[in-house]
Amino acid sequence: MGFRRGTPGAEPSLGRCGRLEGGAGPALTEAGSSTGSSLRTEVSMLPPRFVFTLTRAILESKRPWIPAADSLLDPGYLFKQQASPRPLFLSCAQCSNHQEPKRKRNLSEKKLKRYFVDHRRVFVTGGSGGNGMSCFHSEPRKEYGGPDGGDGGDGGHVILKVDKHVRSLSSVLSVYRGFDGEPGGSKNCYGRNGDCLYIRVPPGTLVKEENEIVADLSQPGDEYIAALGGAGGKGNRFFLANDNRAPVTCTPGQPGQERVLYLEMKTMAHAGMVGFPNAGKSSLLRAISNAKPAVASYPFTTLNPHVGIVHYEGYQQVAVADIPGIIRGAHQNRGLGFAFLRHIERCRFLLFVVDLSVAEPWTQLEDLKYELEKYEEGLSERPHAIIGNKIDLPQSKVNFPQLQARLEQKVIPLSALTGENLEELLLHLKELYDDYVETERKQGQEPLNW
């Protein structure tokens, strides 16, 4: 390996197979000079790895000159050069830019969200029973051992069980199948029964089948058998009788029970925010809790409910739900009316969020109460608070006195964007929660603890 002659002052470049091409300074431009010939001889005597390291060091430093030949023979000179931040490869095919290994892309905030689920359709199937065995006892000097086929094991049940640590139905799948029983064996061995499959549900879950309530799971530890497992088959030992001493008959296991159930939560959250699209409900939930619902300037940004937790002294927690916006005619199932109103039905008290920046904001409150009352009588009369959002806008400051003059109940003006007057909302929310707890205890019921 040697150096190619070039023009003085030209930048050196690495050619194919690690050769140095281009100008290499005046030390290599003198044709037939003794210095050049001796340099080529001395460089050719060096090991290839030292020469390649030298060329890389020259390219990294971009120096238009070549050190003297005696310095090349000094092994310590190569280590005095500045180390390259990139790894040195031994093949010219690997001299291209070093590429970092591909990494998995981070998921966006929207894909990491876990929506609150308060209703679920579940198809459950019990485990099938194991088949019975047909065989005869075999033993030396015992010619007529008789039948000894065992019965199959029973299939496992599918059971709904209340777990106080579960808050929503988001972890409940749409299809469940129980464990099958094992078949019977010889020597009168019975098959093992299938294990029961437990589905964890939150307290206050209603189980419906064909619009009929079949179970009310309200207390932790309550269980309901959603699907029975099939019975195991009988072995030929079971059919042994005086008139049939050598039966060969055995029966297969029975299939498990199949059902389609609808799970619904009686209580979704303590408070539910009700309002038209773009009223600022998601922004308000972000301001008072750690929930991160999507926020955008177009309507129907929220299509699934989000629940945020507001913390108070004494480890008290109030759950506030961001209900997707409803529209006029929702009680007639326009848009996704029934789906949205069903969420509001499962909240104990309501927060009406009104956009103060629109013209005549009091009409929004009237339309919201009308839709709730048409969907379920008395729904609009639940304990509630009226919130006037976007008070930071100039038009909102003009509309707020007109709204308050038309209503007897106090309106809480605030801005979810700037955080103005959020303290008053939190204090009023705590009063509504305390009234709810007191009412539940007077009725002999345990209030929802989040």
Side-chain angles (χ1 to χ4, degrees):
M1 178 182 298
F3 293 95
R4 178 181 294 183
R5 295 189 182 93
T7 58
E11 291 291 338
S13 61
L14 187 63
R16 299 182 59 185
C17 301
R19 294 179 180 177
L20 185 66
E21 298 180 355
L28 295 180
T29 58
E30 297 295 337
S33 63
S34 59
T35 304
S37 60
S38 61
L39 177 62
R40 287 193 296 270
T41 305
E42 293 170 351
V43 171
S44 62
M45 296 174 60
L46 289 174
R49 61 187 182 91
F50 287 105
V51 178
F52 185 78
T53 307
L54 171 63
T55 57
R56 291 296 303 221
I58 295 174
L59 290 177
E60 293 295 334
S61 59
K62 296 184 179 180
R63 297 175 181 174
W65 49 269
I66 295 296
D70 54 352
S71 63
L72 292 174
L73 298 178
D74 183 11
Y77 171 78
L78 299 176
F79 299 98
K80 295 177 183 178
Q81 301 296 326
Q82 184 179 2
S84 174
R86 294 176 294 179
L88 299 178
F89 302 102
L90 299 181
S91 63
C92 59
Q94 295 176 338
C95 290
S96 59
N97 295 332
H98 178 63
Q99 297 182 356
E100 294 291 337
K102 293 183 179 181
R103 299 178 180 178
K104 185 181 294 186
R105 296 178 59 183
N106 296 329
L107 296 177
S108 62
E109 181 181 348
K110 186 175 182 180
K111 293 184 178 180
L112 290 175
K113 295 183 186 302
R114 296 192 63 182
Y115 302 112
F116 190 92
V117 179
D118 58 351
H119 62 93
R120 182 77 80 180
R121 177 187 181 274
V122 184
F123 177 73
V124 290
T125 305
S128 300
N131 298 328
M133 174 65 74
S134 178
C135 61
F136 291 87
H137 182 71
S138 177
E139 186 179 349
R141 296 181 299 274
K142 193 172 184 180
E143 184 176 359
Y144 302 103
D148 65 348
D151 300 341
D154 297 333
H157 307 318
V158 179
I159 302 176
L160 300 175
K161 186 174 183 179
V162 178
D163 189 348
K164 63 179 181 180
H165 300 290
V166 179
R167 298 303 181 190
S168 72
L169 298 175
S170 58
S171 60
V172 178
L173 304 179
S174 58
V175 178
Y176 284 96
R177 177 178 175 81
F179 297 99
D180 297 337
E182 295 183 358
S186 58
K187 298 182 181 179
N188 296 323
C189 292
Y190 283 49
R192 180 181 177 180
N193 295 334
D195 296 332
C196 294
L197 178 62
Y198 288 91
I199 305 175
R200 299 191 306 164
V201 296
T205 301
L206 294 177
V207 184
K208 295 184 178 180
E209 185 177 15
E210 298 180 354
N211 296 327
E212 182 181 353
I213 299 178
V214 296
D216 185 358
L217 306 176
S218 56
Q219 299 298 328
D222 291 351
E223 296 183 358
Y224 174 72
I225 300 179
L228 295 171
K234 301 298 183 181
N236 62 341
R237 175 73 181 184
F238 178 80
F239 299 97
L240 179 63
N242 292 332
D243 56 348
N244 187 6
R245 305 303 300 174
V248 295
T249 305
C250 62
T251 59
Q254 300 297 320
Q257 184 182 14
E258 296 182 356
R259 299 176 68 184
V260 178
L261 302 177
Y262 295 89
L263 307 182
E264 296 182 0
M265 294 183 60
K266 292 189 298 184
T267 302
M268 175 181 173
H270 296 122
M273 290 191 292
V274 185
F276 282 98
N278 271 3
K281 301 182 297 297
S282 299
S283 301
L284 183 57
L285 185 63
R286 278 174 170 257
I288 63 177
S289 68
N290 291 329
K292 302 298 180 183
V295 175
S297 59
Y298 52 87
F300 294 105
T301 307
T302 302
L303 296 178
N304 296 283
H306 294 262
V307 176
I309 306 300
V310 182
H311 299 270
Y312 291 96
E313 295 181 357
Y315 303 100
Q316 292 184 342
Q317 297 178 345
V318 179
V320 181
D322 175 19
I323 308 297
I326 63 177
I327 62 176
R328 293 177 177 87
H331 68 280
Q332 299 175 354
N333 203 21
R334 291 183 180 177
L336 297 177
F338 286 170
F340 293 171
L341 293 171
R342 187 184 299 115
H343 301 314
I344 303 173
E345 183 184 4
R346 301 190 180 106
C347 298
R348 289 296 169 249
F349 47 91
L350 307 178
L351 301 176
F352 290 102
V353 182
V354 179
D355 186 0
L356 294 177
S357 63
V358 300
E360 299 181 355
W362 51 88
T363 59
Q364 290 190 2
L365 183 61
E366 296 174 357
D367 293 338
L368 290 174
K369 291 187 176 182
Y370 176 78
E371 296 296 335
L372 296 183
E373 195 65 26
K374 287 295 182 180
Y375 175 74
E376 181 183 345
E377 186 177 357
L379 184 57
S380 63
E381 301 300 329
R382 289 187 180 181
H384 62 273
I386 303 175
I387 301 171
N389 197 11
K390 304 181 183 181
I391 193 61
D392 55 312
L393 299 179
Q395 185 63 31
S396 301
K397 297 179 180 179
V398 177
N399 294 334
F400 173 69
Q402 302 177 15
L403 174 63
Q404 185 63 73
R406 292 175 177 268
L407 300 177
E408 298 180 358
Q409 186 176 352
K410 181 181 178 180
V411 181
I412 303 175
L414 55 83
S415 173
L417 180 62
T418 62
E420 180 181 354
N421 206 25
L422 288 180
E423 295 80 2
E424 184 177 356
L425 171 62
L426 295 177
L427 293 176
H428 193 72
L429 182 64
K430 184 63 168 58
E431 294 177 1
L432 291 175
Y433 174 74
D434 293 340
D435 295 340
Y436 156 72
V437 172
E438 184 179 357
T439 304
E440 290 291 315
R441 290 178 177 174
K442 287 182 179 179
Q443 297 177 357
Q445 300 179 0
E446 187 67 21
L448 175 64
N449 292 325
W450 206 265

